[in-house]
Amino acid sequence: MKKYILIILCCLTSFPLWSYNVNMIVEHYSVDQGLPNNTVNCTLKDRDGFIWFGTWYGLCCFDGVKFKTFNKQEHDSDVPPRKIQRIVEDKNGYIWVKTIDRKLYVFNKVTECFHAVYDDMKNYSENIQVIKLQNTAEGDVLLLTKDKNLLLAGVDEKGQVTIKILFDSRDEINKHDYTLKHHVLCETEEYISWIGTDYKVSAVHKGAELASRPADFITSKINSGDKDSFTSFFEDGRKVWVGDRAGIFYSIDVRTGLVNRYVLSEIKGAISNLLVTPAGYVYLSVAGQGTYEYDLAERRLQKIVVVFTTDYYSIFYR
C-alpha cells in the first residue's frame, strides 16, 4: 500500500515535466469555426459520442466536423438558455442545463426543444434557483436549490419532467442567507442522501431488501440525536461511509442496511474528510490530529506524515 501511494505521488509530481514532451495534435476552436461564443464554461460527451458545450451565448453540439448551436426559439421550445454554467445528460439522453443565474432547463435532442423547469419545481421548493446540478450513479439528476432542498429529477417515457424531494431543509437553514446550519444525512424509503455545508451532495439508492423497512431504517441505527453530529461522507457504489464529531466512522451497506461502527481510541477529533479505496484502506482527516490510514482487514491504524520541501516531498507512517 505504501508503494502504491508513493507511485501515485511520484506520477503527480512528475506529470508537469513529462507532459511537456508528449507529441500531440491540438485543435483550437473559436467563433471562426462555429462556436457561438469563445467563452465555454462546461463540456459534455454524450452517450452517442457527440461533444456538447455550454457557452455564454447558448448550448452547442460538435459532431467532430461541425458545430450546431441551439440558441434560437423554434417549434414548441421555451426560450433557449444563455450564460450556461453546467450541463449533464440523464439516463434517457436528455441534456440538463444550469445557467449562471441559477435557472434550469431540459433539452430534448430529438425535438431540439428546451423546457424551462420552473413550474415543475414550484411544489418542491420555495426558492427554485438551482445552485448544484449533478448525476447520480443510476443516471438520474440531483438538484440542490438555493434554500438547500435536495431534489431528484428525471424525464419519464412521455417526456415529462419528474421530481421528487429527498430532503426539505427549511428547518435546517439560516433564514437570512439560506446557509445550512450543519451537514445533513437524510433518508427516504428509496434513498440515503447527504447535503454538505460545502454543497457536496449525494443520493444512493437503497436495495430492494429494504423496501419493506421503515424510511429511517438505516439512519436510526447511527443517529445520536444531535443533528450536527455527522461531519463527512463518502460513497463507493456499494457502501456509504460517514464520519462524525466524536471521531467515529460508519460503513453502511445500502443493499441490506447493515451498519458497521468503527471506534478507534487514537481518534478523538471530528473526522473532517474520509476516503475509502477498493483495496480496503480508509483515509481519515481528523481535526487537530492530522491524517490517518486504517487497514480494514488488519484493523491497523497508522498516522500519515507528509513532509514538503522545495524539490520533493515524502510520506512517513508512524
Side-chain angles (χ1 to χ4, degrees), residues 1-10 277 279 281 283 293 295 300-305 313-318:
M1 186 61 195
K2 299 175 185 177
K3 292 182 179 178
Y4 176 76
I5 295 176
L6 289 173
I7 289 173
I8 292 178
L9 293 176
C10 288
T277 71
Y281 292 89
Y283 292 92
E293 175 194 85
D295 185 331
R300 183 178 64 249
L301 182 71
Q302 299 182 89
K303 187 169 185 179
I304 300 175
V305 179
Y313 59 88
S314 304
I315 291 183
F316 298 95
Y317 293 80
R318 69 181 186 189

Side-chain angles (χ1 to χ4, degrees), residues 157-168:
E157 63 277 2
K158 296 181 180 180
Q160 301 297 312
V161 171
T162 63
I163 296 176
K164 64 176 65 175
I165 188 162
L166 297 180
F167 189 75
D168 185 338

Side-chain angles (χ1 to χ4, degrees), residues 44-283:
L44 167 72
K45 183 177 181 180
D46 71 15
R47 60 185 184 179
D48 299 315
F50 294 99
I51 307 297
W52 295 80
F53 299 92
T55 78
W56 196 254
Y57 286 170
L59 183 69
C60 72
C61 180
F62 183 60
D63 62 5
V65 178
K66 62 183 183 299
F67 290 91
K68 184 174 183 178
T69 301
F70 306 94
N71 60 5
K72 296 181 180 179
Q73 188 174 8
E74 299 178 356
H75 312 300
D76 297 324
S77 177
D78 288 334
V79 177
R82 298 204 174 195
K83 302 179 182 179
I84 296 174
Q85 184 181 50
R86 171 85 168 143
I87 52 178
V88 301
E89 181 183 25
D90 69 20
K91 61 186 178 184
N92 293 320
Y94 289 85
I95 304 293
W96 292 70
V97 179
K98 175 188 171 299
T99 63
I100 286 177
D101 53 359
R102 299 175 175 177
K103 295 179 181 178
L104 184 68
Y105 299 80
V106 176
F107 180 70
N108 186 327
K109 292 186 289 185
V110 177
T111 63
E112 299 184 355
C113 291
F114 287 94
H115 172 68
V117 188
Y118 179 84
D119 291 333
D120 307 273
M121 294 181 61
K122 286 182 177 179
N123 294 329
Y124 304 95
S125 185
E126 293 181 3
N127 190 311
I128 60 172
Q129 295 183 64
V130 175
I131 62 173
K132 188 73 176 285
L133 167 68
Q134 72 180 50
N135 286 113
T136 67
E138 296 178 318
D140 293 309
V141 176
L142 270 183
L143 309 174
L144 183 66
T145 62
K146 184 178 179 180
D147 54 2
K148 307 307 179 293
N149 283 355
L150 185 63
L151 310 177
L152 186 75
V155 180
D156 64 21
E157 63 277 2
K158 296 181 180 180
Q160 301 297 312
V161 171
T162 63
I163 296 176
K164 64 176 65 175
I165 188 162
L166 297 180
F167 189 75
D168 185 338
S169 295
R170 72 183 70 186
D171 295 328
E172 312 301 337
I173 59 173
N174 299 298
K175 303 299 183 182
H176 64 283
D177 61 1
Y178 293 113
T179 57
L180 276 174
K181 298 175 183 177
H182 51 79
H183 302 298
V184 173
L185 180 69
C186 48
E187 186 179 8
T188 65
E189 293 180 352
E190 297 180 89
Y191 291 86
I192 184 164
S193 307
W194 174 265
I195 311 172
T197 56
D198 57 356
Y199 301 167
K200 176 182 178 181
V201 295
S202 180
V204 183
H205 202 286
K206 292 156 62 174
E209 297 179 36
L210 301 178
S212 60
R213 300 289 188 174
D216 64 346
F217 180 71
I218 294 175
T219 51
S220 63
K221 296 181 179 182
I222 61 176
N223 195 340
S224 65
D226 295 329
K227 291 183 177 181
D228 62 346
S229 61
F230 300 112
T231 53
S232 54
F233 180 94
F234 181 80
E235 61 164 297
D236 60 14
R238 177 180 173 180
K239 291 183 178 180
V240 162
W241 300 78
V242 183
D244 71 11
R245 282 187 307 165
I248 300 169
F249 67 97
Y250 307 83
S251 69
I252 303 167
D253 190 319
V254 293
R255 299 174 305 173
T256 64
L258 177 66
V259 175
N260 288 317
R261 183 171 182 261
Y262 297 87
V263 182
L264 308 177
S265 59
E266 297 93 332
I267 306 297
K268 303 182 185 302
I271 299 175
S272 58
N273 204 352
L274 61 85
L275 179 148
V276 185
T277 71
Y281 292 89
V282 181
Y283 292 92

